[in-house]
Amino acid sequence: MVFKHFHPHARIWFITVLALIGVLFINPRVEYIVHPPKSEVIAYYKNEYQQYAIQQLVKQDKLEQYPCLMELWTRESNWRPKALNKQSKALGIAQLLPETWRNIKIKPTNDGFKQVDAGLKYIDHHYGESGGICRAYAHHLARGWY
């Protein structure tokens, strides 16, 4: 046998490598699935509108984007439903412009909960549903608006 000329430890190593090759590449019935570890996302809120936004993001499986939303709307309006930019006429928590309200087919309102819904709808429409909130925040950081 050819293995007689190898050190005993080298023979064990060689046989182990052959066995692994057989298991990994030759046996087609073996499936290897890697699952990322489950982790919890902790989201803090200071007011009822932030709490509502968290609930909406949980429903949409987007809670990981909450830090971006928190920063974005804190910079825009400090989460105040009655915030009004007198120059642009942007209104509310998400600071939506009058034409934006029309485009998303929602009437302007002072209801902070409806403003959260409208803001999330606008972001999904304009920046995409997957990762759109953080893209909107990145745009805001770069341009000063979103």
Side-chain angles (χ1 to χ4, degrees):
M1 184 173 187
V2 178
F3 293 121
K4 287 184 186 179
H5 303 293
F6 290 108
H7 187 274
H9 294 284
R11 283 184 276 198
I12 292 172
W13 182 84
F14 186 72
I15 291 170
T16 303
V17 168
L18 286 176
L20 284 173
I21 289 172
V23 168
L24 293 175
F25 298 107
I26 297 172
N27 187 350
R29 294 176 298 172
V30 178
E31 292 183 30
Y32 298 92
I33 301 172
V34 178
H35 296 286
K38 296 278 184 190
S39 61
E40 292 183 24
V41 176
I42 298 173
Y44 296 97
Y45 59 91
K46 294 180 183 177
N47 63 49
E48 59 190 348
Y49 307 118
Q50 293 168 352
Q51 183 181 20
Y52 179 73
I54 290 168
Q55 292 167 351
Q56 297 308 102
L57 293 177
V58 167
K59 286 179 188 176
Q60 299 172 19
D61 197 27
K62 296 181 185 179
L63 186 58
E64 73 282 353
Q65 295 184 65
Y66 178 68
C68 295
L69 186 68
M70 178 68 173
E71 287 298 317
L72 177 63
W73 288 352
T74 297
R75 289 169 181 256
E76 285 289 325
S77 67
N78 204 24
W79 291 81
R80 292 175 299 125
K82 293 183 180 178
L84 175 65
N85 182 321
K86 292 179 183 175
Q87 192 173 15
S88 69
K89 304 296 183 217
L91 170 70
I93 293 171
Q95 286 292 282
L96 300 180
L97 296 168
E99 58 269 17
T100 305
W101 287 97
R102 283 191 297 277
N103 288 342
I104 60 172
K105 297 178 177 34
I106 297 177
K107 291 183 180 182
T109 177
N110 284 331
D111 182 332
F113 302 106
K114 290 181 181 177
Q115 290 177 5
V116 168
D117 290 335
L120 292 174
K121 183 175 180 177
Y122 164 72
I123 290 171
D124 283 351
H125 177 73
H126 196 74
Y127 293 94
E129 291 184 23
S130 178
I133 296 169
C134 290
R135 277 196 293 281
Y137 179 51
H139 188 274
H140 183 281
L141 292 175
R143 306 272 174 120
W145 57 274
Y146 75 107

